[in-house]
Amino acid sequence: MDRKLSEIQLDALREVGNIGAGNSATALSQMMGKRIDMSLPQVNILSFEDMIKRVGTEEEIVVAVLLKVFGDAPGNILFLMKQDKAQEFAETILGGFSEVTDEIYLSLFQEVGNILGNSYINAISRLTSLSLLTSVPAISIDMLAAVLSSSFMDAQQYSDYVLAIDTNFIEDGKKSGGNFFYIPKPGSLDIILTKLGLN
Amino acid sequence: MDEKDIKVGIGDLNVALPPYRLITLGLGSCVGIALYDSISKVAGLAHIMLPDSSCFKNQKNPMKFADAAIPILIDKMLEKGASRVRLRAKIAGGASMFSFTDKNSILDIGSRNVKSVMSVLSKNNISLIAEDTGGNFGRTMIVEAETGKVYIRTAGKGIKEL
């Protein structure tokens, strides 16, 4: 990310992120049957090391769901949850099941990532009238640094500083250990900003 | 990590002498390149993110590219007393962390990184003596300067020597 964004552009991206995140939080609340909020999205241009530090430590195991975004403003959507939080989360949602196989566990997170990612993308799409589509979700349960760096590389964010719009899920006033990233490919932000009349 | 560990960040490289170890955490599609001279006991480790610097202009950090990082690493090792002809390489990483069923979505940057690293090593006449690449999992790589041994740590599978 070499380009500088003005304060007003950053604000606009935060607002877009906010509407997307609000949609996702509503979807998540409905799934969980309790109130989930999302923190005000941050628009960050950081080094990889700092991006990792925002979530945790390099080798920490996270459940990660990646959706590729195709269409007018391509990029990646990444949903991360720390492993212990993911366990709690699965227990809440799968409360009635006596036996949870790995397959059900993986499929649960894929579906959660799918719903969150699509509510987010739909919000951006409605706001900007850009045509955006997502891939089927792919999942990885692995080291934070490995999934995060691979997701940025895949979105062709090759410079020393990378850009992400990210937000935290908040449950009962506490951070829930879930993070949500929108990682635009180069050029996608310009397209979004142009649509918002801010370029 | 203990006090003898020198951390190598993403898109970075470093060299070490005994009793130190070089460590890089959480390689995904990135590739870790360990070079070692067993006589002078100079060890080097680079953590590259991309195959080739030639398509990029205005890059401030050449160390994240395979083609640029490896020669820099070699030079740094020579400065510490390593001999070019004795250098041997072990590499790890280049995974595709997310498996998509749809072919258009497959993340292939990992395999491109591995290919590029191999070709740069061979251009520099360095033999590759061990590798742990590909797959869909992350790796932490540790290089011990005393012995030249390389250890790979993976999530849930513990640590093994490469």
Side-chain angles (χ1 to χ4, degrees), chain A residues 33-99:
Chain A
K34 59 176 159 181
R35 192 189 160 107
I36 308 281
D37 291 317
M38 277 175 117
S39 63
L40 199 64
Q42 308 272 322
V43 181
N44 284 306
I45 300 168
L46 296 171
S47 70
F48 274 104
E49 312 278 331
D50 291 336
M51 200 61 88
I52 290 164
K53 274 189 208 138
R54 282 184 55 80
V55 184
T57 56
E58 287 99 334
E59 285 190 294
E60 198 166 350
I61 306 302
V62 292
V63 177
V65 183
L66 184 77
L67 279 91
K68 303 193 98 174
V69 181
F70 304 108
D72 295 336
N76 284 338
I77 293 273
L78 182 69
F79 169 62
L80 295 177
M81 202 171 237
K82 294 186 181 180
Q83 207 177 25
D84 50 338
K85 285 292 169 186
Q87 206 72 44
E88 283 174 28
F89 180 82
E91 278 163 21
T92 311
I93 294 214
L94 299 171
F97 290 77
S98 52
E99 211 176 301

Side-chain angles (χ1 to χ4, degrees), chain A residues 58-59 143 145-147 149, chain B residues 10 24-28 47 138-141:
Chain A
E58 287 99 334
E59 285 190 294
M143 301 173 184
V147 294
S149 64
Chain B
I10 299 175
T24 198
L25 304 167
L27 292 159
H47 181 144
R139 297 165 172 92
T140 281
M141 193 175 187

Side-chain angles (χ1 to χ4, degrees), chain B residues 60-76:
Chain B
K60 291 182 199 92
N61 176 16
M63 294 182 295
K64 62 187 177 193
F65 300 100
D67 63 328
I70 293 172
I72 298 175
L73 184 64
I74 295 171
D75 285 346
K76 286 201 169 225

